[in-house]
Amino acid sequence: GDPVRISQVVGNLLQNAAKFTDPGGRVAVSAETAGDSVLVEVRDTGIGMSPELAASAFDFFSQSESSRDRSRGGLGLGLALARGLVELHGGDLRADSEGTGLGSRFTIRLPLDRGVDATSPREHRSGLRRALLRILIVEDNQDMAESLRILLRLDGHHVETARTGAAGVELAQKLRPDVVLCDLGLPGGM
């Protein structure tokens, strides 16, 4: 697998665990082999999740009701991107929680040795081909922009990125994108 992207996935899970675990709580990481796979688990004693949230935790922009005021930050993109990157490696990512206030567990399963061609466009999970889109990402966080760009390009889309609002406006006029994914907190007054 791509060590940078796998590190990014684990890093995202650790950042979330730390963000949603109050001082004095615990975050633990473990890894083990299971047959032809490796399992990496990130477990915390944090705010936990309702069954409904656990079921939708990997949807884009998914956030718990208690975090909608953004008191803990985030836009609800990290877990969706993490799952996408794990799936591109031929694995899966699961979320479990005993309930609100009872912590969370995220389990990454990756194949130990399997060739995954992550360079060709794939059919959507439904088996239907989707239209390929022109997508513009306007994001000042280079890691976030690059991760999203890679994920969308692997799905076959034409993707361009801009690091500032002004550059995004200029590129949008040239590209005429079908979709713009724009950071809500860009520096520079935009």
Side-chain angles (χ1 to χ4, degrees):
D2 180 339
V4 172
R5 298 300 161 220
I6 293 171
S7 296
Q8 188 174 7
V9 168
V10 174
N12 176 278
L13 296 178
L14 287 170
Q15 287 174 346
N16 280 351
K19 182 177 7 176
F20 294 105
T21 300
D22 291 328
R26 294 193 48 155
V27 175
V29 179
S30 63
E32 65 181 6
T33 57
D36 62 351
S37 298
V38 63
L39 302 176
V40 178
E41 182 178 275
V42 176
R43 182 186 294 260
D44 65 63
T45 60
I47 66 171
M49 296 180 282
S50 67
E52 297 80 22
L53 181 59
S56 66
F58 300 104
D59 295 344
F60 280 104
F61 307 111
S62 177
Q63 295 179 335
S64 71
E65 287 301 319
S66 63
S67 69
R68 292 228 190 267
D69 63 3
R70 296 174 50 97
S71 63
R72 296 189 190 244
L75 294 174
L77 295 173
L79 289 177
L81 290 173
R83 182 174 71 180
L85 289 170
V86 168
E87 288 175 350
L88 288 171
H89 282 83
D92 60 69
L93 176 57
R94 292 187 327 259
D96 298 295
S97 178
E98 297 293 319
T100 305
L102 300 175
S104 300
R105 181 180 66 219
F106 289 85
T107 306
I108 303 166
R109 185 199 56 80
L110 292 168
L112 284 174
D113 186 25
R114 187 171 98 198
V116 176
D117 180 10
T119 60
S120 61
R122 305 175 283 139
E123 288 191 359
H124 191 265
R125 283 177 243 253
S126 68
L128 302 174
R129 290 301 262 176
R130 298 175 337 277
L132 300 182
L133 302 171
R134 288 182 317 276
I135 301 173
L136 172 60
I137 300 167
V138 184
E139 172 62 67
D140 61 320
N141 180 314
Q142 186 174 351
D143 288 339
M144 175 65 82
E146 181 66 8
S147 297
L148 192 51
R149 183 187 70 78
I150 289 169
L151 185 64
L152 293 168
R153 279 192 175 171
L154 288 173
D155 248 4
H157 302 290
H158 174 79
V159 183
E160 297 288 337
T161 61
R163 301 281 304 277
T164 67
V169 169
E170 184 178 323
L171 195 53
Q173 291 171 336
K174 291 178 188 173
L175 181 64
R176 309 299 268 173
D178 299 303
V179 176
V180 175
L181 301 173
C182 185
D183 184 353
L184 297 177
L186 289 169
M190 291 191 88

